[in-house]
Amino acid sequence: MVQAAIAAKIANERSLTAKQVSAVIQLLEGQNTIPFIARYRKEMTGGLDEVEIRGIEESWRYEVNLTERKQEVLRLIEEQGKLNGALKEKIEKAAKLQEVEDLYRPYKQKRRTRAAVAKERGLEPLAEWLLEHNEGDPEAEAEKYVSEENEVPAVEDALQGARDVIAEQVSDQPEARKWIRSLTERKGVFRASVKEKEKDEKGVYEMYYAYEEPIRGIVPHRVLACNRGEKEGVLRVEIAAPHDEIIDKLTGKWSKKAASPAAPHVQEAVADAYKRLIQPSIEREIRKTLTERAEEQAIHIFSENLKHLLLQPPLKGKVVLGVDPAYRTGCKLAVIDETGKVLDVGVIYPTPPYNKVEEAKAKVLTWIGNYKVEMIAIGNGTASRETEQFIADVLKEADRDVYYLIVNEAGASVYSASELAREEFPKLQVEERSAISIGRRLQDPLSELVKIDPKSVGVGQYQHDVSQKRLNESLSFVVETAVNRVGVNVNTASVSLLQYVAGLSKATAKNIVKKREEIGKFQERSQMKSVPRLGAKTFEQCIGFLRIVDGRQPLDRTGIHPERYPETIKLLEEIGCSTADIGTNPLRDKLASLSMEETAQRLQLGLPTLRDIVDGLSHPGRDPREEMTKPLLKKDVLKLEDLKKGMEMEGTVRNVVDFGAFIDIGVKQDGLVHISKLSNRYVKHPLDVVHVGEVVKVWVEDVNVEKGRVALTMLEPQMQSI
């Protein structure tokens, strides 16, 4: 009953059906992974994708925690003998954890507060007397409570204690806290000011030295910037609430007889309640809410950028020369064949301080000829542009067509110094491993980038300022989703790649590689059952995402799950084909002429599953990354000084942030397209228009050679003048 109610609530919030939500919850509780559910249980979920399923999972987790907290709070209040029907109903109807905590607040065991001390001294009846607004003299009434034994030496001490009791009662009222929080969020101001300017030598936080913005309108990245400035001691941050309006409303509620002699004491207690107890607490809550929203936005942007980075199209079948640029230590080189195997490593010194250009040129040209190099991948770190100029000059003398690309090398040094890299290339230097990583990123970005901590791939903003646990969960989900959408060749995949396959752990991935080394290679999916610690449930979850390209069973190179092999073979027999025909044009033609609804009924399959089977038979090796924008190949270099205002160019999106997108147009610094210059229509967020890895047309708007800055626009010149 409880589960049905929760499912209905989540369905309503997410514009889904209760049936879909219940199915997802049931599948998740049955230890099914999100990629497996999204790919192989479409009939049950109504075709929900990984993101929607994960959203349901998170909402379900929150609702379960909310239910458990309600039960705990009800128990704790009941143990105090203070639970009544009205309070119980309010707690049970609460839709948010914050509401439950507000209702529990008056009954919560507190530290020894001023009000608690006053109650110990017997002053609670005096507080009640003041609240009742009796017409008597408050000082005369307070005289009755003066007692050396109770540590109330004077009338004013008695009245102060009574006011402390009233202040806590005002502070603990859940309805008041709720509307104060709401009013502050609607009318309050987020304010930052400079605290210690000398700690901000580069003026990073200068725009926030005297900054304020309505809470309801502040954008996430400004919250995180101010938080960081506050943490570094540069800024002072506060929430400025409509104090007078709040105190007037509170006073009107608690002090109903303004002419009563007791009224000034109640009014003073109300003002103290807000200033000392409510306002700091509400400010913390709102700051926490703003920070959580900002973190979620930052994590979302990072995740979206990472997804597109991982799904960049591979340049398959190319011999690549990877180049890790440097000055003093020289440019490290690595030649990698079509399969990613390292053929040679070396070092050249074409940049300062050595400038051994001719010697370096001779070596690169020799390697291009000897190894039939087709592509050169240059890391975008230190000395990148000088190295690019050198490579561009070398290619003019090459006897074959060779192109180069600037590759984002973020995280390459992290990988190169890792235990994983040492295991893979124990005899190589760190820098040589880095050149290999850069080269392989061009051949197959996904397979190489999974070896690196996702936080180190250089496509985020404020990633060090957000919840690291939440960030890791989100990024791991992105990597897992990308890996499973593409699929994995079980006979070539590394442990780093295999561990992201649905259902597999790092230990199981290692066991797969070990088993592969023992038997040479897997000939069919069913052999995976012999891998240690890969039980029936794990096999069910992972096997559809593992491919065997040239094994005994042709179906094993498709995304069709083995549980559907019988129906698939029956379908092939019905149309006069066999598994040997998979991927051929005659088979595609026959499948295209099928009546899908009738075939699904006849084979007792759901329509989504049949469509996936038909797609798998028609395009067995389809890689979703092949549909993405191909990278820009280059043969010559461009300098910042070459840029002119209005110049039309093509560039690659390197990073997307809240305020715009950074575009690599082939000069030393990436150019910024501000959010206002992304489209001639309103853009809520840059991610709605561009994504990492996308090739876009831009126009140069402004160039600052001294500061190395380029402002770009995606608005066509004629559109800018409209």
Side-chain angles (χ1 to χ4, degrees):
M1 186 67 181
V2 175
Q3 180 167 318
I6 292 175
K9 182 181 178 183
I10 295 171
N12 184 54
E13 289 172 351
R14 295 186 167 274
S15 301
L16 300 169
T17 67
K19 184 180 178 182
Q20 285 176 297
V21 174
S22 295
V24 169
I25 293 168
Q26 182 184 340
L27 286 164
L28 289 169
E29 291 192 329
Q31 304 304 306
N32 292 288
T33 62
I34 291 176
F36 176 81
I37 296 170
R39 179 69 174 81
Y40 297 111
R41 293 296 180 263
K42 291 177 180 176
E43 284 83 5
M44 292 182 70
T45 69
L48 297 178
D49 65 21
E50 296 92 340
V51 175
E52 291 167 320
I53 293 167
R54 185 168 184 252
I56 292 171
E57 181 185 37
E58 290 178 343
S59 295
W60 169 251
R61 202 182 304 145
Y62 180 89
E63 293 297 334
V64 168
N65 290 340
L66 176 62
T67 302
E68 290 175 353
R69 182 58 179 160
K70 284 179 183 179
Q71 292 169 350
E72 176 73 359
V73 165
L74 288 169
R75 181 184 65 78
L76 291 168
I77 298 174
E78 191 168 30
E79 285 176 359
Q80 296 175 34
K82 297 178 180 178
L83 185 65
N84 57 50
L87 178 59
K88 183 179 180 182
E89 185 179 0
K90 284 181 180 178
I91 292 171
E92 288 176 342
K93 286 186 175 179
K96 299 289 180 185
L97 279 168
Q98 185 64 63
E99 292 178 45
V100 176
E101 297 306 328
D102 282 350
L103 290 164
Y104 177 49
R105 190 181 182 88
Y107 310 96
K108 196 174 184 178
Q109 293 299 313
K110 299 182 177 72
R111 56 184 173 81
R112 204 160 176 264
T113 62
R114 281 163 49 173
V117 172
K119 288 176 182 178
E120 288 171 8
R121 293 172 179 172
L123 297 172
E124 192 168 14
L126 178 59
E128 295 302 324
W129 188 91
L130 291 172
L131 283 171
E132 288 168 7
H133 289 70
N134 288 297
E135 296 302 322
D137 181 3
E139 293 190 0
E141 184 69 21
E143 184 71 44
K144 300 174 185 177
Y145 295 88
V146 174
S147 164
E148 286 189 18
E149 183 184 345
N150 289 339
E151 299 181 52
V152 185
V155 167
E156 180 51 35
D157 295 308
L159 289 169
Q160 182 59 57
R163 290 194 294 267
D164 288 341
V165 172
I166 294 171
E168 189 165 274
Q169 286 184 26
V170 173
S171 170
D172 282 348
Q173 190 183 54
E175 290 81 5
R177 295 183 71 86
K178 186 174 182 179
W179 66 252
I180 289 170
R181 188 184 298 110
S182 174
L183 187 67
T184 304
E185 287 173 341
R186 283 187 289 111
K187 296 187 176 181
V189 172
F190 184 95
R191 185 175 291 159
S193 57
V194 66
K195 182 180 179 184
E196 292 187 49
K197 189 176 180 180
E198 58 274 12
K199 289 186 177 180
D200 189 20
E201 293 178 7
K202 296 182 179 179
V204 174
Y205 303 104
E206 194 171 355
M207 73 169 286
Y208 300 110
Y209 286 176
Y211 173 81
E212 65 175 46
E213 187 172 356
I215 291 170
R216 66 179 183 273
I218 190 164
V219 293
H221 70 269
R222 287 183 189 146
V223 173
L224 294 177
C226 288
N227 286 355
R228 184 189 286 179
E230 182 181 46
K231 189 176 180 181
E232 293 177 7
V234 178
L235 302 177
R236 183 182 290 106
V237 182
E238 62 178 334
I239 298 293
H243 292 182
D244 293 344
E245 184 178 350
I246 291 169
I247 290 174
D248 285 348
K249 286 191 176 183
L250 278 176
T251 303
K253 178 176 175 60
W254 289 86
S255 181
K256 293 184 171 59
K257 296 179 183 177
S260 164
H265 293 282
V266 176
Q267 290 163 9
E268 185 180 340
V270 168
D272 176 53
Y274 178 68
K275 185 177 179 181
R276 180 171 59 87
L277 301 173
I278 301 175
Q279 193 270 335
S281 174
I282 295 293
E283 179 171 358
R284 284 193 300 272
E285 288 172 10
I286 290 176
R287 290 272 319 263
K288 182 171 181 282
T289 300
L290 288 174
T291 297
E292 286 174 350
R293 286 179 192 158
E295 287 187 355
E296 282 301 306
Q297 175 71 350
I299 290 170
H300 170 68
I301 293 168
F302 197 150
S303 299
E304 284 296 304
N305 287 343
L306 177 63
K307 177 181 77 176
H308 290 292
L309 184 67
L310 293 173
L311 292 176
Q312 287 183 106
L315 288 177
K316 295 178 179 177
K318 303 286 185 184
V319 178
V320 175
L321 172 62
V323 183
D324 182 13
Y327 291 116
R328 185 181 53 81
T329 56
C331 299
K332 309 305 180 297
L333 307 178
V335 183
I336 302 143
D337 75 5
E338 301 91 330
T339 66
K341 179 184 176 184
V342 179
L343 302 177
D344 207 342
V345 293
V347 61
I348 53 176
Y349 300 89
T351 58
Y354 302 107
N355 296 311
K356 297 180 179 179
V357 177
E358 291 306 316
E359 182 182 312
K361 185 185 293 185
K363 185 163 188 173
V364 172
L365 286 171
T366 299
W367 279 20
I368 288 174
N370 290 349
Y371 296 113
K372 305 294 186 288
V373 171
E374 298 164 90
M375 294 293 308
I376 298 178
I378 306 170
N380 67 341
T382 305
S384 173
R385 295 307 172 183
E386 292 87 344
T387 305
E388 180 188 9
Q389 181 65 66
F390 163 74
I391 291 295
D393 291 341
V394 169
L395 295 185
K396 292 173 185 175
E397 299 182 26
D399 59 0
R400 59 207 310 269
D401 273 344
V402 181
Y403 294 88
Y404 73 86
L405 250 74
I406 301 295
V407 175
N408 186 344
E409 67 174 49
S413 58
V414 175
Y415 159 73
S416 304
S418 68
E419 183 181 343
L420 178 64
R422 287 195 296 273
E423 287 176 6
E424 197 171 2
F425 304 108
K427 296 180 180 179
L428 298 184
Q429 298 298 312
V430 170
E431 296 83 2
E432 292 168 333
R433 297 176 194 145
S434 185
I436 296 167
S437 178
I438 290 167
R440 284 179 171 176
R441 286 186 189 199
L442 190 59
Q443 289 182 322
D444 191 344
L446 179 60
S447 294
E448 195 61 26
L449 289 169
V450 292
K451 300 176 183 177
I452 301 162
D453 180 350
K455 293 195 293 294
S456 301
V457 298
V459 289
Q461 186 187 23
Y462 298 108
Q463 59 260 40
H464 303 295
D465 301 303
V466 303
S467 164
Q468 295 302 294
K469 179 177 182 290
R470 180 76 178 134
L471 178 63
N472 288 334
E473 287 175 352
S474 184
L475 297 186
S476 293
F477 170 75
V478 169
V479 179
E480 182 184 69
T481 301
V483 169
N484 287 287
R485 280 188 181 178
V486 171
V488 171
N489 183 336
V490 74
N491 283 321
T492 59
S494 65
V495 171
S496 304
L497 191 60
L498 286 166
Q499 68 182 350
Y500 284 106
V501 172
L504 297 183
S505 64
K506 189 171 184 178
T508 321
K510 284 182 176 179
N511 288 343
I512 289 172
V513 172
K514 189 176 178 182
K515 187 72 175 179
R516 185 175 74 201
E517 290 169 351
E518 288 174 7
I519 64 175
K521 66 177 183 178
F522 293 99
Q523 293 294 332
E524 53 187 58
R525 280 170 166 169
S526 58
Q527 287 178 281
M528 303 292 293
K529 293 177 180 178
S530 64
V531 173
R533 296 177 64 179
L534 203 155
K537 189 66 179 180
T538 302
F539 180 86
E540 176 196 52
Q541 298 297 304
C542 74
I543 201 63
F545 305 105
L546 298 174
R547 312 279 194 268
I548 297 175
V549 178
D550 52 358
R552 289 192 287 258
Q553 169 55 273
L555 289 174
D556 287 349
R557 63 189 173 105
T558 73
I560 301 169
H561 198 284
E563 67 184 6
R564 295 302 179 198
Y565 281 6
E567 292 91 341
T568 303
I569 291 168
K570 186 177 179 183
L571 171 63
L572 288 169
E573 289 172 350
E574 283 184 359
I575 59 175
C577 293
S578 71
T579 55
D581 300 312
I582 291 174
T584 63
N585 287 328
L587 175 60
R588 288 194 192 107
D589 293 340
K590 289 182 178 181
L591 291 171
S593 65
L594 283 176
S595 168
M596 297 297 281
E597 289 79 5
E598 288 179 14
T599 306
Q601 286 182 354
R602 192 168 62 254
L603 295 173
Q604 295 184 319
L605 288 171
L607 201 54
T609 296
L610 178 60
R611 288 196 183 107
D612 285 342
I613 289 172
V614 168
D615 184 60
L617 294 173
S618 302
H619 309 281
R622 174 178 282 173
D623 187 334
R625 295 174 296 174
E626 292 171 358
E627 299 169 12
M628 306 296 178
T629 313
K630 297 290 186 289
L632 279 176
L633 307 180
K634 301 169 67 178
K635 289 200 76 171
D636 207 351
V637 71
L638 188 69
K639 294 185 178 68
L640 196 65
E641 292 79 5
D642 297 332
L643 300 181
K644 304 296 178 196
K645 189 171 181 178
M647 186 181 286
E648 181 182 317
M649 312 184 74
E650 275 194 316
T652 304
V653 180
R654 290 295 182 201
N655 202 1
V656 181
V657 293
D658 279 330
F659 52 83
F662 289 97
I663 315 293
D664 179 4
I665 54 171
V667 295
K668 190 164 188 177
Q669 296 295 332
D670 291 343
L672 173 66
V673 179
H674 189 265
I675 186 171
S676 61
K677 304 290 184 179
L678 286 169
S679 173
N680 59 346
R681 59 179 174 81
Y682 170 71
V683 177
K684 187 175 182 181
H685 194 277
L687 282 172
D688 298 334
V689 182
V690 291
H691 61 74
V692 167
E694 185 178 3
V695 175
V696 295
K697 186 183 290 185
V698 295
W699 288 265
V700 177
E701 191 166 62
D702 189 40
V703 183
N704 188 323
V705 177
E706 290 74 27
K707 293 187 176 180
R709 292 178 183 168
V710 184
L712 303 170
T713 177
M714 285 173 59
L715 302 177
E716 292 188 40
Q718 63 267 28
M719 297 305 296
Q720 296 180 52
S721 60
I722 293 175

